[in-house]
Amino acid sequence: MGSEGSTLLEPLWQGLAAIDPSAVSGSVSCALPARYEAVKGARQFTGSTLRQWNIPELLDEVALVVSELVTNALRHALSGAAATGEPERPVRLHLMRGPSRLICAVRDPSEVGPVAGEAGCGEESGRGLHLVECFTDGWGWQPLAGTPRGKIVWAAFRLPDA
C-alpha cells in the first residue's frame, strides 16, 4: 500500500517553509480508493507508519487529522472532479518525517482550496478543519502546478523530544 521516496512528495516543498528535503528521514505514501472506507485504511496506514518510525505517541492526533483531510478530499474534491467529467484520479496520503516535525498531506484532484465550515450545534459536519487547526502546529494547502492538476492539503506536527 505504501511506497518510499520523496519524488511523490516534491510538490509539498513549495507549500512548507523551512523544510530542507534532504533532512527528511522518512517518507511514505499510499493511494486511496474513492470510497469512504478509505478513511479507515488511511488511519491504519498512518498507525503502522508511526509505529515503524517509533512515534506512537502522536498516533491519536495524527489519525484524527488524517481522517478529516481524507474525508474532505473524498466528500468535496472527488465529487467536483466527477461533475466536471475529468477522469478520476485517486486521493493520495503522504507522511513525511523530518528532524523536528511530521507532515501529513492529502493530494486530491480538485483545485478548490479547503474552507472551514460554520457548523451549528446539531450539525454533523463542518468542524473538520477546526479540529485540524486545534491538533496541529499548522496546516495549509498548495495548488499543484502542471499535470495532473489538483491540490495538496498538509498539516504539521511537532515531534516529541527524544
Side-chain angles (χ1 to χ4, degrees):
M1 191 165 166
S3 66
E4 296 288 336
S6 61
T7 307
L8 295 170
L9 304 172
E10 203 57 42
L12 284 175
W13 307 128
Q14 300 166 12
L16 297 171
I19 290 184
D20 177 8
S22 65
V24 171
S25 61
S27 66
V28 294
S29 72
C30 68
L32 301 168
R35 298 186 309 272
Y36 285 113
E37 296 84 26
V39 176
K40 179 180 178 182
R43 284 192 309 265
Q44 290 170 337
F45 178 78
T46 299
S48 172
T49 300
L50 294 186
R51 285 187 289 277
Q52 181 181 357
W53 288 346
N54 199 28
I55 47 175
E57 59 271 28
L58 291 179
L59 181 56
D60 291 339
E61 292 87 359
V62 177
L64 172 75
V65 168
V66 163
S67 294
E68 294 299 334
L69 296 182
V70 170
T71 298
N72 281 350
L74 294 171
R75 180 174 289 149
H76 302 290
L78 290 185
S79 64
T84 61
E86 291 181 27
E88 186 174 313
R89 291 185 297 269
V91 170
R92 186 171 272 290
L93 169 64
H94 303 276
L95 299 171
M96 287 182 295
R97 181 180 181 169
S100 62
R101 58 186 165 173
L102 172 76
I103 305 296
C104 76
V106 175
R107 184 181 77 192
D108 68 54
S110 172
E111 296 176 43
V112 178
V115 177
E118 293 292 326
C121 289
E123 294 182 48
E124 293 185 17
S125 65
R127 295 175 185 83
L129 291 176
H130 294 294
L131 290 171
V132 170
E133 189 165 320
C134 289
F135 285 95
T136 65
D137 292 309
W139 73 277
W141 72 280
Q142 194 71 21
L144 294 174
T147 305
R149 300 179 77 118
K151 70 175 172 302
I152 293 178
V153 181
W154 56 266
F157 299 85
R158 192 174 327 280
L159 291 175
D161 294 329

